[in-house]
Amino acid sequence: MIDALPTHGIPADQVLAELRGLRQADLPTHGGKLFAYVYDPAVPGLDELAHSAYALSAHVNGLDPTAFPSLLATENALVAAAGRVLGAGPDTAAPDVVGSVTSGGTESLILAVKAARDAHPEITSPRLVIPVTAHAAFAKAAHYLGVELDLVEVDPVTFRPSPAAMAAAITIDTVLIACSAPSYAHGVIDPVEEIAAIALEEGIRCHVDACFGGWVLPYLRRIGVEVPAFDFSVPGVTSISVDLHKYAYCPKGVSVLLHRDASLRAPQYFAYADWPGYTMVNPVISSTRSGGPIAAAFATLRHIGDDGYLSLAAQTQSAVRGLAAAVTATPGLRLLAPADYSVVCLTSDDPELDLFVLADELGARGWHTQPQLPFGDIPASIHLTVTASVAPQVEAFGPALADAAKTARALGPVQLPEGMVSMIGAMTPDLLTPDMIAGLAEQFGLGDGAGAPRMAMVNTVLSVAPRRLRERLLAEFVSFLQRPSW
Ligand SMILES: *Cc1c(COP(=O)(O)O)cnc(C)c1O
């Protein structure tokens, strides 16, 4: 077992060697063969720079911007940069944009919802309207903040909500309407202009979740890709979130939430004087915040620069084209959504070619993709988040995909054991016990740290499980993993 608190301290190089040993079990964060979780530009020297910058400011505390002006200056610079990328700044239609640096997309969305909710203290049952394809972090925000969620169905082919359906979901209690540019699952841009126009007419806030693609879409447009307007150039858009730890290629822990003006941001702040300590003023959820991620992000942006992001977007675009071509060239597979921007999302039309088996076969060949379960009318799919580092790998992907598909077809689709489907159907979340979870984890070889298990069976079970059961199963499973290593 790993002991975080040995009786006697361990020398620094030994500690680092131990950590390096542990990291061996992780998926590869670099090399362009992991299509989720990580964003790698493959810029030589960038990691070293970001690490040094991180170390410089790791102990700086964002709690008080007057105590650490370096943090205030770098945050203000990051907000200005994000604003400029997203159509704001002097000489634009959005000269008064302000923002905050947060720890990630989820925090940015929670704060966008909080600001909208607290702008309307007179609304006692505030509501949020989103398409069902909007990121799950909106649901989390609504849950945390006591806001009701109104989910709007999307077209099963385009994966976009109709503006009319979004409009119809608005009630007198709606404080915010939101959409994605683009959505995570399929990489599709919602009809932002139409939705923002509705919001403007109704006098409600409109948030554009550009957490995922906000830093790559503007550059794709500049290299000639057709990208519909989704930023502050669109009247009615009141806030936008963009994660710097995605396509700005910064180390984890940095996102930016922008508001069209300071009055829209005001209800985002929390200030408290009813205690004998310092008067607390927090723009974001955390109070003490490390300067590390912010300094690393600042260094990353300055080193890559505008021209660097332009060329990284071009590399990403060429990788997307290559991967999409490999998909369409593989019998039985097709693109589920057009691979227009930075996502390739594929599905299978052939009942003999099981996508979950295919994902396992790709994994066995060193290509780590993200299976997505079927949802309503939307079939199961495999999601690929494509970054610049994928470009040099594209040529190898086609043959690997063809080979993996051949093996998956030979193996055939997952067959659940007799009676399992009806058993899962009859199961309710309350019937789950920790022992059952431990038994299932053992049966499926999950969580024992012994390399990537084959997940096709697990994904098939999750696909037939009712959604509440699926949530509970996974929560209990993660809880099972998260136990102290005494
Ligand atoms: C990643 C993502 C989020 C959530 O961001 P985290 O940084 O994981 O908290 C929100 N929206 C979209 C569209 C995303 O892709």
Side-chain angles (χ1 to χ4, degrees):
M1 269 301 154
I2 302 150
D3 186 356
L5 186 64
T7 311
H8 301 292
I10 307 286
D13 3 344
Q14 191 183 330
V15 175
L16 274 179
E18 290 167 358
L19 273 174
R20 283 195 195 96
L22 287 170
R23 290 274 291 102
Q24 297 289 315
D26 295 345
L27 290 174
T29 56
H30 293 65
K33 293 176 126 187
L34 171 53
F35 295 96
Y37 312 116
V38 300
Y39 295 77
D40 177 16
V43 170
L46 184 65
D47 275 356
E48 292 72 12
L49 168 66
H51 299 168
S52 303
Y54 196 110
L56 262 180
S57 295
H59 293 284
V60 165
N61 193 340
L63 178 66
D64 180 352
T66 64
F68 302 103
S70 72
L71 196 60
L72 182 63
T74 43
E75 280 198 333
N76 284 344
L78 291 177
V79 169
R84 209 171 338 137
V85 167
L86 293 167
D91 307 319
T92 71
D96 302 321
V97 160
V98 294
S100 303
V101 177
T102 73
S103 64
T106 299
E107 188 178 3
S108 291
L109 296 184
I110 291 173
L111 291 170
V113 176
K114 182 208 180 297
R117 183 196 68 174
D118 290 355
H120 289 282
E122 79 288 359
I123 297 181
T124 51
S125 319
R127 307 186 75 89
L128 162 63
V129 174
I130 53 170
V132 71
T133 48
H135 197 278
F138 280 112
K140 181 173 170 178
H143 179 74
Y144 279 16
L145 294 164
V147 170
E148 288 296 323
L149 202 55
D150 290 308
L151 293 174
V152 175
E153 292 301 320
V154 297
D155 180 286
V157 174
T158 65
F159 307 109
R160 290 191 190 93
S162 83
M166 293 291 283
I170 295 173
T171 74
I172 191 131
D173 290 326
T174 303
V175 294
L176 181 67
I177 187 167
C179 56
S180 316
S183 63
Y184 179 78
H186 308 111
V188 161
I189 302 180
D190 287 332
V192 174
E193 287 187 288
E194 290 89 336
I195 292 169
I198 293 163
L200 198 58
E201 199 178 302
E202 297 279 344
I204 57 177
R205 293 179 181 224
C206 174
H207 181 80
V208 176
D209 178 9
C211 282
F212 189 32
W215 210 275
V216 68
L217 291 178
Y219 289 100
L220 288 174
R221 183 186 288 138
R222 280 166 58 183
I223 58 168
V225 176
E226 211 171 296
V227 176
F230 70 94
D231 61 13
F232 282 111
S233 65
V234 179
V237 169
T238 52
S239 56
I240 304 181
S241 49
V242 56
D243 291 352
L244 303 193
H245 60 208
K246 290 181 179 161
Y247 282 98
Y249 297 115
C250 301
K252 298 283 178 259
V254 186
S255 170
V256 174
L257 171 61
L258 300 167
H259 295 273
R260 193 177 279 274
D261 64 45
S263 71
L264 289 162
R265 182 178 63 174
Q268 176 192 316
Y269 283 75
F270 179 82
Y272 191 77
D274 285 345
W275 77 307
Y278 56 89
T279 300
M280 195 165 80
V281 188
N282 291 153
V284 296
I285 294 177
S286 298
S287 203
T288 285
R289 290 190 289 146
S290 172
I294 292 156
F298 177 77
T300 301
L301 261 62
R302 272 192 75 75
H303 185 59
I304 294 179
D306 192 56
D307 55 352
Y309 285 113
L310 204 55
S311 89
L312 290 171
Q315 289 167 43
T316 302
Q317 182 63 193
S318 98
V320 163
R321 294 237 166 94
L323 296 176
V327 169
T328 42
T330 309
L333 297 181
R334 67 175 171 93
L335 296 174
L336 183 59
D340 290 337
Y341 312 116
S342 64
V343 170
V344 174
C345 183
L346 59 120
T347 192
S348 166
D349 280 336
D350 177 354
E352 291 309 305
L353 180 51
D354 184 317
L355 277 187
F356 299 144
V357 177
L358 177 65
D360 280 348
E361 288 304 319
L362 282 169
R365 288 161 180 75
W367 300 87
H368 306 284
T369 61
Q370 191 164 53
Q372 299 183 136
L373 304 181
F375 183 89
D377 293 338
I378 305 175
S381 58
I382 289 179
H383 167 109
L384 311 178
T385 290
V386 183
T387 59
S389 65
V390 176
Q393 307 295 342
V394 165
E395 259 179 71
F397 181 77
L401 180 65
D403 189 48
K406 198 170 135 208
T407 309
R409 207 185 296 264
L411 288 169
V414 169
Q415 305 284 354
L416 292 182
E418 189 76 24
M420 192 142 174
V421 176
S422 55
M423 192 198 82
I424 294 165
M427 189 84 196
T428 65
D430 295 341
L431 294 174
L432 288 177
T433 64
D435 280 352
M436 282 166 70
I437 298 295
L440 282 173
E442 193 185 354
Q443 188 183 334
F444 289 120
L446 300 172
D448 57 7
R454 290 192 68 92
M455 292 298 292
M457 176 70 91
V458 174
N459 283 320
T460 307
V461 168
L462 292 174
S463 297
V464 297
R467 290 181 199 158
R468 297 294 84 77
L469 178 65
R470 194 202 298 168
E471 292 165 356
R472 185 66 178 276
L473 264 172
L474 291 175
E476 290 288 342
F477 171 60
V478 174
S479 167
F480 162 76
L481 294 180
Q482 296 187 313
R483 55 195 195 275
S485 53
W486 300 121

